[in-house]
Amino acid sequence: MRKYVQQKADDLAKMSQSVRFIFVGILNTIVGFFAYAAYIFVLNDSYIQALIFSHIVGVIHSYLWNNKWTFQQKSYNGKSIVKFVSVYIVTFFVNLLVLSILVDTIEINKLISQGLALFITTIFSFVGHKYWSFKSTTDEIEEC
């Protein structure tokens, strides 16, 4: 069993950056969606408050995973944190816009609306993190 677990860990470590980002994104989507749903069902029915809460949970979760595993940064630093949070501020407002259109204008269920909005925000998130938040110096050299 131990050898199997080690083999699976080695397989995960060998994944490409895009595949790792998708894996973390799926995990983060699950964590964020459950935080959103829990807030709606347990604390308050406000989708805006639930979005703020789930976004904070998601940002923290995503930064920890993406910094060390997906983009393999050697340390945490203020500059990458500011860039990372900036990308999530943009994705938050995109999410809020899509969510408000789906919930208030089209009148789709709050949970279904958030599930749909997550597809759009994932694209913004990946592009922002890959090409700005966690852009390494080797990426910059390759572009020249």
Side-chain angles (χ1 to χ4, degrees):
M1 180 68 164
R2 187 176 191 182
K3 186 175 181 178
Y4 175 79
V5 171
Q6 183 61 45
Q7 179 60 43
K8 291 301 174 190
D10 290 344
D11 291 345
L12 284 174
K14 293 176 187 173
M15 281 192 240
S16 73
Q17 192 177 70
S18 298
V19 173
R20 287 190 304 249
F21 185 83
I22 291 167
F23 179 82
V24 170
I26 290 168
L27 182 60
N28 200 56
T29 299
I30 292 167
V31 168
F33 187 78
F34 278 110
Y36 177 87
Y39 193 95
I40 292 232
F41 289 117
V42 176
L43 297 173
N44 189 320
D45 192 40
S46 168
Y47 74 84
I48 294 174
Q49 290 176 13
L51 178 62
I52 292 167
F53 173 74
S54 67
H55 211 73
I56 291 168
V57 169
V59 167
I60 293 166
H61 179 268
S62 183
Y63 182 78
L64 295 173
W65 275 89
N66 281 314
N67 187 67
K68 288 296 183 188
W69 189 57
T70 304
F71 299 105
Q72 299 177 347
Q73 301 296 299
K74 304 240 184 293
S75 64
Y76 299 105
N77 67 63
K79 186 177 178 181
S80 75
I81 292 171
V82 168
K83 286 181 170 186
F84 187 86
V85 171
S86 297
V87 169
Y88 268 105
I89 289 170
V90 170
T91 61
F92 172 81
F93 284 109
V94 169
N95 196 158
L96 181 59
L97 175 67
V98 172
L99 194 56
S100 64
I101 290 168
L102 294 174
V103 171
D104 296 331
T105 305
I106 302 175
E107 298 182 356
I108 297 175
N109 174 282
K110 294 172 187 173
L111 294 178
I112 293 169
S113 294
Q114 179 61 4
L116 295 171
L118 287 172
F119 286 109
I120 295 167
T121 58
T122 299
I123 295 166
F124 280 88
S125 179
F126 177 76
V127 170
H129 294 311
K130 170 120 177 105
Y131 297 107
W132 195 54
S133 299
F134 294 112
K135 185 174 185 169
S136 69
T137 53
T138 56
D139 290 339
E140 292 167 359
I141 292 169
E142 288 173 8
E143 286 182 358
C144 295

